[in-house]
Amino acid sequence: MLHALEHIRRMRGGAQAHLLRCSDGGYYVVKFQNNPQHRRVLVNELLGTKLAARLGLPVPQVAVVDVPEALIRYTADLVMQLGQSSVPCRAGLQFASRYPGDPRELTLHDFLPDEQLREVENLGDFAGMLVYDKWTCNTNGRQAIFLRPADRAPYRALMIDQGFCFNAGEWNFPDAPLRGLYTRQRVYEGVIGMESFAPWLERLETRVTPGVFDELSKQIPPEWYEDNQDELYRLLETLDRRRARVRELLVDAKRSNRQPFPNWT
Protein backbone atom coordinates (compact mmCIF):
# COMPACT_ATOMS: atom_id res chain seq x y z
CA MET A 1 0.00 0.00 0.00
CA LEU A 2 1.25 3.45 -0.94
CA HIS A 3 1.38 5.97 1.95
CA ALA A 4 1.52 9.78 1.81
CA LEU A 5 4.44 11.28 3.72
CA GLU A 6 4.73 14.98 2.87
CA HIS A 7 2.63 17.76 1.38
CA ILE A 8 4.35 19.67 -1.43
CA ARG A 9 1.77 22.09 -2.81
CA ARG A 10 -1.80 22.59 -3.94
CA MET A 11 -2.61 21.92 -7.58
CA ARG A 12 -4.87 23.85 -9.94
CA GLY A 13 -8.27 22.51 -10.95
CA GLY A 14 -11.80 22.01 -9.72
CA ALA A 15 -11.04 18.84 -7.77
CA GLN A 16 -8.52 20.76 -5.62
CA ALA A 17 -5.87 18.05 -5.82
CA HIS A 18 -2.63 18.20 -3.84
CA LEU A 19 0.90 17.14 -4.71
CA LEU A 20 2.27 14.74 -2.10
CA ARG A 21 5.51 12.84 -1.63
CA CYS A 22 4.79 9.18 -0.95
CA SER A 23 6.39 6.12 0.59
CA ASP A 24 7.91 4.82 -2.67
CA GLY A 25 9.93 8.03 -3.06
CA GLY A 26 7.72 9.33 -5.84
CA TYR A 27 5.48 12.38 -6.06
CA TYR A 28 1.76 12.03 -6.72
CA VAL A 29 -1.13 14.31 -7.58
CA VAL A 30 -3.77 13.22 -5.05
CA LYS A 31 -7.52 13.71 -5.32
CA PHE A 32 -9.51 13.33 -2.11
CA GLN A 33 -12.85 11.70 -1.42
CA ASN A 34 -14.32 15.00 -0.22
CA ASN A 35 -13.27 16.98 -3.30
CA PRO A 36 -15.81 19.59 -4.51
CA GLN A 37 -16.65 17.74 -7.75
CA HIS A 38 -17.84 14.32 -6.58
CA ARG A 39 -16.51 11.31 -4.72
CA ARG A 40 -17.01 9.18 -7.83
CA VAL A 41 -14.36 11.13 -9.76
CA LEU A 42 -11.83 9.01 -7.85
CA VAL A 43 -13.41 5.90 -9.38
CA ASN A 44 -13.36 7.56 -12.78
CA GLU A 45 -9.70 8.48 -12.44
CA LEU A 46 -8.52 5.05 -11.32
CA LEU A 47 -10.74 2.98 -13.61
CA GLY A 48 -10.48 5.37 -16.55
CA THR A 49 -6.70 5.73 -16.44
CA LYS A 50 -6.16 1.99 -16.16
CA LEU A 51 -8.49 1.39 -19.12
CA ALA A 52 -6.59 3.98 -21.16
CA ALA A 53 -3.34 2.22 -20.26
CA ARG A 54 -4.83 -1.04 -21.55
CA LEU A 55 -5.23 0.67 -24.91
CA GLY A 56 -1.57 1.68 -24.89
CA LEU A 57 -2.30 5.37 -24.39
CA PRO A 58 0.21 7.69 -22.67
CA VAL A 59 -1.28 8.15 -19.20
CA PRO A 60 0.37 8.45 -15.79
CA GLN A 61 0.88 5.56 -13.41
CA VAL A 62 -1.99 5.61 -10.90
CA ALA A 63 -2.53 4.09 -7.48
CA VAL A 64 -4.56 4.14 -4.31
CA VAL A 65 -2.77 6.05 -1.55
CA ASP A 66 -3.42 6.09 2.18
CA VAL A 67 -3.29 9.64 3.55
CA PRO A 68 -2.96 9.50 7.36
CA GLU A 69 -4.95 11.66 9.71
CA ALA A 70 -1.75 12.97 11.30
CA LEU A 71 -0.46 14.41 8.01
CA ILE A 72 -3.74 16.28 7.50
CA ARG A 73 -3.86 17.49 11.08
CA TYR A 74 -0.37 19.00 10.94
CA THR A 75 -0.54 20.40 7.38
CA ALA A 76 -2.51 23.62 7.26
CA ASP A 77 -2.75 23.56 3.43
CA LEU A 78 -4.40 20.14 3.26
CA VAL A 79 -7.91 21.56 3.06
CA MET A 80 -10.77 21.90 0.58
CA GLN A 81 -11.85 25.47 -0.09
CA LEU A 82 -15.65 25.73 -0.11
CA GLY A 83 -16.62 29.33 -0.83
CA GLN A 84 -15.48 31.46 2.08
CA SER A 85 -14.78 28.48 4.32
CA SER A 86 -12.59 25.40 4.24
CA VAL A 87 -12.68 21.84 5.55
CA PRO A 88 -9.79 19.44 6.11
CA CYS A 89 -9.06 16.89 3.40
CA ARG A 90 -10.42 13.48 4.30
CA ALA A 91 -8.00 10.92 5.66
CA GLY A 92 -7.90 7.37 4.32
CA LEU A 93 -7.74 5.95 0.81
CA GLN A 94 -7.45 8.51 -1.99
CA PHE A 95 -6.62 8.53 -5.69
CA ALA A 96 -2.99 9.17 -6.69
CA SER A 97 -1.53 9.97 -10.12
CA ARG A 98 2.25 9.72 -10.39
CA TYR A 99 3.97 13.03 -11.14
CA PRO A 100 6.38 12.36 -14.04
CA GLY A 101 9.53 13.36 -12.19
CA ASP A 102 10.90 15.51 -9.39
CA PRO A 103 8.73 18.67 -9.26
CA ARG A 104 11.78 20.70 -8.23
CA GLU A 105 13.53 19.87 -11.49
CA LEU A 106 10.87 19.03 -14.08
CA THR A 107 8.96 21.66 -16.05
CA LEU A 108 5.57 20.67 -17.40
CA HIS A 109 3.58 22.62 -19.98
CA ASP A 110 -0.16 22.58 -20.54
CA PHE A 111 0.24 24.69 -23.69
CA LEU A 112 2.75 24.65 -26.55
CA PRO A 113 2.99 27.08 -29.49
CA ASP A 114 1.89 25.61 -32.81
CA GLU A 115 5.37 24.92 -34.15
CA GLN A 116 6.39 23.03 -31.01
CA LEU A 117 3.04 21.25 -30.91
CA ARG A 118 3.69 19.80 -34.38
CA GLU A 119 6.95 18.35 -33.11
CA VAL A 120 5.46 16.43 -30.17
CA GLU A 121 6.74 12.90 -30.75
CA ASN A 122 3.48 11.11 -29.91
CA LEU A 123 1.02 13.56 -31.45
CA GLY A 124 -0.80 10.64 -33.08
CA ASP A 125 -1.89 9.46 -29.63
CA PHE A 126 -4.48 12.25 -29.56
CA ALA A 127 -6.48 10.24 -32.13
CA GLY A 128 -6.33 7.22 -29.86
CA MET A 129 -7.32 9.31 -26.89
CA LEU A 130 -10.36 10.55 -28.79
CA VAL A 131 -11.44 6.94 -29.33
CA TYR A 132 -11.13 6.49 -25.57
CA ASP A 133 -12.92 9.75 -24.72
CA LYS A 134 -15.84 8.96 -27.02
CA TRP A 135 -16.12 5.48 -25.54
CA THR A 136 -16.12 6.77 -21.95
CA CYS A 137 -18.15 9.93 -22.72
CA ASN A 138 -15.63 12.35 -21.28
CA THR A 139 -17.79 15.44 -20.75
CA ASN A 140 -14.72 17.64 -20.29
CA GLY A 141 -12.33 18.66 -23.03
CA ARG A 142 -9.30 16.43 -23.37
CA GLN A 143 -6.60 17.45 -20.88
CA ALA A 144 -2.92 16.92 -21.67
CA ILE A 145 0.46 18.07 -20.43
CA PHE A 146 3.74 18.15 -22.32
CA LEU A 147 7.11 17.22 -20.91
CA ARG A 148 10.64 17.13 -22.19
CA PRO A 149 12.83 14.36 -20.72
CA ALA A 150 16.06 16.25 -21.50
CA ASP A 151 17.31 19.39 -23.20
CA ARG A 152 16.74 19.29 -26.95
CA ALA A 153 14.72 16.09 -26.68
CA PRO A 154 11.28 16.18 -28.33
CA TYR A 155 8.26 16.96 -26.22
CA ARG A 156 5.94 14.12 -25.29
CA ALA A 157 2.24 14.41 -24.46
CA LEU A 158 0.84 12.81 -21.32
CA MET A 159 -2.94 12.49 -21.10
CA ILE A 160 -4.24 13.44 -17.67
CA ASP A 161 -7.51 13.95 -15.81
CA GLN A 162 -10.08 11.24 -16.47
CA GLY A 163 -12.38 12.57 -13.72
CA PHE A 164 -15.19 13.63 -16.06
CA CYS A 165 -15.36 10.37 -17.96
CA PHE A 166 -18.76 8.71 -17.48
CA ASN A 167 -20.10 12.27 -16.95
CA ALA A 168 -18.31 12.78 -13.62
CA GLY A 169 -20.49 11.73 -10.69
CA GLU A 170 -23.59 11.07 -12.79
CA TRP A 171 -22.36 7.85 -14.36
CA ASN A 172 -24.41 8.29 -17.49
CA PHE A 173 -23.45 8.98 -21.10
CA PRO A 174 -24.92 12.19 -22.58
CA ASP A 175 -23.03 12.02 -25.87
CA ALA A 176 -22.43 15.17 -27.91
CA PRO A 177 -20.22 15.67 -31.00
CA LEU A 178 -17.67 18.02 -29.44
CA ARG A 179 -17.20 16.24 -26.13
CA GLY A 180 -13.77 14.77 -25.48
CA LEU A 181 -12.02 16.79 -28.19
CA TYR A 182 -8.75 18.55 -27.51
CA THR A 183 -9.08 22.31 -27.88
CA ARG A 184 -6.58 22.62 -30.73
CA GLN A 185 -7.37 20.74 -33.89
CA ARG A 186 -3.73 20.79 -34.96
CA VAL A 187 -3.29 17.56 -32.99
CA TYR A 188 -5.73 15.86 -35.39
CA GLU A 189 -3.97 16.87 -38.62
CA GLY A 190 -2.86 13.27 -39.08
CA VAL A 191 -6.45 12.01 -39.18
CA ILE A 192 -7.37 11.30 -42.82
CA GLY A 193 -10.36 9.01 -42.26
CA MET A 194 -11.70 6.25 -40.05
CA GLU A 195 -8.57 4.23 -40.84
CA SER A 196 -6.60 6.66 -38.67
CA PHE A 197 -8.54 5.41 -35.66
CA ALA A 198 -8.40 1.73 -36.68
CA PRO A 199 -5.49 0.64 -34.42
CA TRP A 200 -7.21 2.08 -31.37
CA LEU A 201 -10.61 0.65 -32.28
CA GLU A 202 -9.02 -2.78 -32.65
CA ARG A 203 -7.38 -2.48 -29.23
CA LEU A 204 -10.70 -1.46 -27.74
CA GLU A 205 -12.23 -4.69 -29.06
CA THR A 206 -9.38 -7.04 -28.15
CA ARG A 207 -7.71 -5.65 -25.03
CA VAL A 208 -10.73 -4.67 -22.92
CA THR A 209 -12.59 -7.87 -22.09
CA PRO A 210 -15.16 -8.63 -19.35
CA GLY A 211 -12.27 -10.16 -17.40
CA VAL A 212 -10.46 -6.81 -17.47
CA PHE A 213 -13.52 -5.03 -16.07
CA ASP A 214 -13.73 -7.59 -13.27
CA GLU A 215 -10.03 -7.26 -12.47
CA LEU A 216 -10.10 -3.46 -12.35
CA SER A 217 -13.32 -3.24 -10.34
CA LYS A 218 -11.63 -5.17 -7.51
CA GLN A 219 -8.95 -2.47 -7.25
CA ILE A 220 -11.44 0.31 -6.46
CA PRO A 221 -12.02 1.06 -2.76
CA PRO A 222 -15.77 0.52 -2.09
CA GLU A 223 -16.06 3.78 -0.15
CA TRP A 224 -15.33 5.65 -3.40
CA TYR A 225 -18.69 4.50 -4.78
CA GLU A 226 -20.45 4.33 -1.40
CA ASP A 227 -20.46 0.50 -1.47
CA ASN A 228 -23.08 0.56 -4.23
CA GLN A 229 -21.85 -2.48 -6.15
CA ASP A 230 -24.91 -2.53 -8.40
CA GLU A 231 -24.17 0.98 -9.69
CA LEU A 232 -20.57 0.05 -10.42
CA TYR A 233 -21.58 -3.11 -12.28
CA ARG A 234 -24.14 -1.13 -14.28
CA LEU A 235 -21.42 1.32 -15.30
CA LEU A 236 -19.13 -1.49 -16.42
CA GLU A 237 -21.89 -3.24 -18.37
CA THR A 238 -22.69 0.01 -20.18
CA LEU A 239 -19.04 0.50 -21.07
CA ASP A 240 -18.89 -3.01 -22.48
CA ARG A 241 -21.88 -2.34 -24.74
CA ARG A 242 -20.72 1.14 -25.82
CA ARG A 243 -17.71 -0.16 -27.73
CA ALA A 244 -20.00 -0.77 -30.69
CA ARG A 245 -20.97 2.95 -30.81
CA VAL A 246 -17.52 4.54 -30.98
CA ARG A 247 -17.28 4.68 -34.79
CA GLU A 248 -20.64 6.42 -34.97
CA LEU A 249 -19.55 8.94 -32.33
CA LEU A 250 -16.34 9.71 -34.23
CA VAL A 251 -18.35 10.37 -37.40
CA ASP A 252 -20.63 12.70 -35.44
CA ALA A 253 -17.57 14.67 -34.33
CA LYS A 254 -16.32 14.83 -37.92
CA ARG A 255 -19.66 16.24 -39.13
CA SER A 256 -19.88 18.89 -36.40
CA ASN A 257 -19.62 22.59 -37.22
CA ARG A 258 -16.19 22.73 -35.62
CA GLN A 259 -14.73 20.36 -38.28
CA PRO A 260 -11.98 19.06 -35.96
CA PHE A 261 -10.23 16.87 -38.58
CA PRO A 262 -8.91 19.24 -41.28
CA ASN A 263 -7.52 16.46 -43.49
CA TRP A 264 -10.45 14.01 -43.28
CA THR A 265 -12.32 14.67 -46.52
Side-chain angles (χ1 to χ4, degrees):
M1 170 66 71
L2 193 66
H3 300 277
L5 301 179
E6 179 187 7
H7 181 260
I8 305 301
R9 65 172 184 260
R10 298 178 65 87
M11 305 296 289
R12 292 181 297 171
Q16 298 189 31
H18 292 258
L19 184 64
L20 305 180
R21 182 175 63 85
C22 294
S23 53
D24 64 349
Y27 297 86
Y28 289 81
V29 177
V30 175
K31 291 187 178 182
F32 287 82
Q33 291 187 44
N34 62 331
N35 74 86
Q37 291 178 335
H38 201 287
R39 185 182 304 185
R40 285 179 175 177
V41 302
L42 277 65
V43 179
N44 303 351
E45 287 280 17
L46 187 69
L47 174 63
T49 306
K50 286 180 175 286
L51 287 172
R54 290 273 177 171
L55 300 180
L57 292 163
V59 290
Q61 173 190 338
V62 295
V64 177
V65 60
D66 181 40
V67 182
E69 179 69 45
L71 180 61
I72 294 171
R73 185 183 310 121
Y74 294 111
T75 306
D77 285 340
L78 271 175
V79 296
M80 293 289 155
Q81 297 291 340
L82 304 174
Q84 300 300 314
S85 62
S86 64
V87 298
C89 293
R90 181 169 296 177
L93 302 182
Q94 320 300 337
F95 167 79
S97 176
R98 181 79 181 242
Y99 198 83
D102 187 329
R104 297 167 298 183
E105 301 173 359
L106 182 68
T107 300
L108 299 179
H109 304 269
D110 54 18
F111 176 86
L112 289 178
D114 282 353
E115 290 308 311
Q116 288 177 298
L117 189 60
R118 282 197 184 95
E119 297 170 2
V120 172
E121 65 176 1
N122 64 328
L123 203 64
D125 286 336
F126 278 90
M129 209 65 205
L130 185 59
V131 168
Y132 165 88
D133 283 325
K134 289 300 182 183
W135 174 45
T136 59
C137 191
N138 182 1
T139 54
N140 199 2
R142 166 47 42 204
Q143 303 296 307
I145 55 175
F146 303 92
L147 58 150
R148 206 175 201 171
D151 287 345
R152 299 183 181 177
Y155 283 98
R156 182 168 179 81
L158 190 66
M159 310 299 179
I160 61 167
D161 199 348
Q162 282 44 267
F164 272 67
C165 293
F166 329 130
N167 196 18
E170 299 299 320
W171 283 9
N172 56 20
F173 296 85
D175 295 309
L178 300 184
R179 283 186 166 159
L181 286 164
Y182 190 62
T183 53
R184 300 171 64 199
Q185 69 181 40
R186 193 170 300 277
V187 302
Y188 303 119
E189 286 182 343
V191 174
I192 58 173
M194 190 59 69
E195 62 267 32
S196 300
F197 299 108
W200 310 103
L201 292 166
E202 180 182 3
R203 293 179 190 184
L204 184 58
E205 291 297 327
T206 59
R207 296 188 184 183
V208 185
T209 64
V212 168
F213 288 131
D214 184 58
E215 173 193 340
L216 295 182
S217 68
K218 293 174 181 176
Q219 300 176 27
I220 304 170
E223 57 264 41
W224 290 6
Y225 53 89
E226 298 176 312
D227 292 286
N228 193 332
Q229 198 79 43
D230 289 343
E231 283 291 310
L232 180 62
Y233 286 158
R234 191 174 297 114
L235 172 68
L236 297 176
E237 289 169 357
T238 304
L239 275 176
D240 191 31
R241 293 194 305 269
R242 277 178 61 84
R243 287 184 289 185
R245 288 205 62 214
V246 175
R247 287 174 175 82
E248 172 192 341
L249 296 171
L250 291 168
V251 171
D252 288 345
K254 189 258 183 188
R255 292 172 175 168
S256 68
N257 291 334
R258 179 174 157 185
Q259 295 288 299
F261 313 119
N263 296 319
W264 182 353
T265 57

